[in-house]
Amino acid sequence: GSATVEPSGCFEAGSYQEFTLTYTAGYFGIDDTGSIKIVHRFASDMGKPQFIDPTAANYVTAEATNGAILHIEYDMKRNIRPWDKTLYVKVVRGFLRKGDQIIVRFGDRREGSPGMRIQTFCEKTFEFKVLVDAIATYNYVELPQQPEIEIVPGPPVLYKAILPTLRRQQESFRLCVKGEDRWGNPSNLCDLNLKLRTNMDISGLPDTVALEKGEFTRIIENLRAAETGDLIIELLDANDDIVAKSNPCRIVADADLLPYWGDLHGQSEETIGTNSARDFYEFARDKAFLDICVHQGNDFQITNDFWKWLNELSAEFTEDGRFIVFPGWEW
């Protein structure tokens, strides 16, 4: 068989939407007591489907175009990880011939539901993965092509100015600026100029910084402080109102060690996380502004091929003195 989702395209993280998934039976149809599963990843906070209140959020319905009677239920772990979260639709009376359809409405708005609350974080390929037990043996087959949407950030509601924690006098450092949507996703919908104000004299710091649509961040490199103390940089709007205030960066005359920031336990879609390992490293480096990153997939989900590629990817992203990546596994 085959499946489609309408509408398709890009949707704002955490928004309420209505999606119609249409499964069209293939050559074998679906036998009496056969079923389909529509599964989503473990790492998703999409609203939990409910089938009781048609006026409430996350209301889901299913119907067959030929009048077959369907049973629908939801289970958080009814499929093989990482595709744990399962909407189960069973043909309990009747059957489907080739061309008959099952129509599943996520966030069915026909009786007043606001829709389905989609997950609050971004994903390039959020799949409605469909598996089919056509001949009622509970032996499921994945469709060769799966319907998907893209989940994107919303407009910024707050801005962040990020400095290192500690640096020595005349040692180079950077200021990182970004806007985030209401769920904390870095937003590429920023469009404003900000003034910069500091409590110390910083060489290399411009008077203003611009965040433009289409860009997620702005990084100002090669800053230096000649005096010691706790540096704070403020971002001001056109009315000189404070939009954001940086974390304090302590400038000292000397230090044997410097603190760095890292995420030592992340996963990607190759194991039980979301988006690719490359996306994970890029986010850590370019949007979270980390110094260190480690991919820690579960050992039983890491194949030899993925482990080889993860080592190559980690070497590609590692830049001594700037961004250090370790390949790892969770054992």
Side-chain angles (χ1 to χ4, degrees):
S2 62
T4 60
V5 162
E6 294 293 337
S8 58
C10 301
F11 301 90
E12 182 181 325
S15 63
Y16 286 86
Q17 305 287 341
E18 181 182 29
F19 296 104
T20 300
L21 184 142
T22 302
Y23 170 74
T24 302
Y27 175 80
F28 292 103
I30 295 184
D31 199 1
D32 178 34
T33 72
S35 58
I36 66 171
K37 294 179 182 179
I38 305 169
V39 297
H40 295 102
R41 290 186 182 275
F42 161 84
S44 175
D45 62 352
M46 184 176 74
K48 183 179 180 180
Q50 57 94 7
F51 318 105
I52 298 173
D53 186 352
T55 65
N58 308 317
Y59 183 60
V60 178
T61 61
E63 58 192 71
T65 55
N66 68 349
I69 305 302
L70 306 177
H71 168 73
I72 184 171
E73 60 185 71
Y74 180 75
D75 194 300
M76 296 284 285
K77 289 188 71 68
R78 196 165 183 168
N79 195 57
I80 298 171
R81 61 179 281 162
W83 299 93
D84 305 48
K85 297 179 177 180
T86 303
L87 188 74
Y88 174 76
V89 184
K90 181 179 180 180
V91 181
V92 294
R93 187 181 303 166
F95 58 90
L96 273 64
R97 293 185 174 89
K98 180 180 180 180
D100 289 336
Q101 295 178 324
I102 293 176
I103 310 296
V104 180
R105 292 180 172 87
F106 290 85
D108 190 337
R109 289 172 167 168
R110 292 179 295 180
E111 296 185 59
S113 171
M116 194 82 186
R117 210 291 310 281
I118 62 177
Q119 71 186 27
T120 61
F121 54 93
C122 302
E123 188 172 359
K124 293 178 181 177
T125 55
F126 179 89
E127 292 185 38
F128 293 78
K129 187 182 285 291
V130 180
L131 303 92
V132 185
D133 174 26
I135 53 178
T137 59
Y138 215 77
N139 183 19
Y140 286 88
V141 177
E142 287 188 17
L143 297 186
Q145 291 186 318
Q146 300 290 356
E148 63 185 40
I149 61 172
E150 181 176 0
I151 300 177
V152 298
V157 298
L158 80 159
Y159 294 89
K160 291 186 175 179
I162 299 170
L163 292 170
T165 302
L166 179 72
R167 285 296 182 269
R168 305 176 187 95
Q169 283 177 283
Q170 299 298 349
E171 187 172 45
S172 175
F173 63 93
R174 63 181 184 171
L175 168 68
C176 303
V177 179
K178 63 178 175 177
E180 293 182 343
D181 72 9
R182 61 186 176 135
W183 302 104
N185 298 298
S187 176
N188 60 348
L189 301 177
C190 306
D191 187 15
L192 80 168
N193 290 306
L194 296 167
K195 302 174 187 177
L196 301 179
R197 184 170 66 190
T198 73
N199 63 341
M200 295 168 58
D201 183 29
I202 303 298
S203 64
L205 187 70
D207 295 328
T208 62
V209 60
L211 287 172
E212 300 176 354
K213 281 191 175 181
E215 297 180 334
F216 285 96
T217 64
R218 181 69 69 186
I219 299 176
I220 305 171
E221 305 272 8
N222 299 318
L223 304 179
R224 286 179 170 82
E227 57 185 299
T228 60
D230 288 344
L231 167 66
I232 293 177
I233 299 178
E234 296 172 331
L235 307 182
L236 310 176
D237 63 16
N239 298 318
D240 288 336
D241 293 325
I242 297 175
V243 172
K245 181 183 294 187
S246 75
N247 59 287
C249 175
R250 178 154 294 179
I251 307 296
V252 295
D254 194 20
D256 293 332
L257 298 173
L258 296 177
Y260 294 97
W261 293 89
D263 181 354
L264 304 184
H265 196 119
Q267 296 203 39
S268 60
E269 66 188 13
E270 290 89 352
T271 53
I272 202 171
T274 304
N275 295 313
S276 70
R278 179 176 292 278
D279 292 329
F280 171 55
Y281 288 163
E282 287 179 346
F283 188 98
R285 181 189 64 187
D286 303 333
K287 296 177 182 175
F289 314 121
L290 296 180
D291 306 301
I292 305 155
C293 192
V294 183
H295 188 289
Q296 292 278 22
N298 298 88
D299 54 359
F300 58 84
Q301 284 194 283
I302 296 180
T303 65
N304 289 338
D305 287 342
F306 177 59
W307 179 244
K308 179 177 181 294
W309 181 76
L310 186 63
N311 276 267
E312 294 170 353
L313 188 69
S314 300
E316 175 191 332
F317 272 83
T318 294
E319 182 181 350
D320 287 346
R322 184 60 176 269
F323 186 64
I324 305 301
V325 177
F326 296 105
W329 70 89
E330 180 182 349
W331 177 69

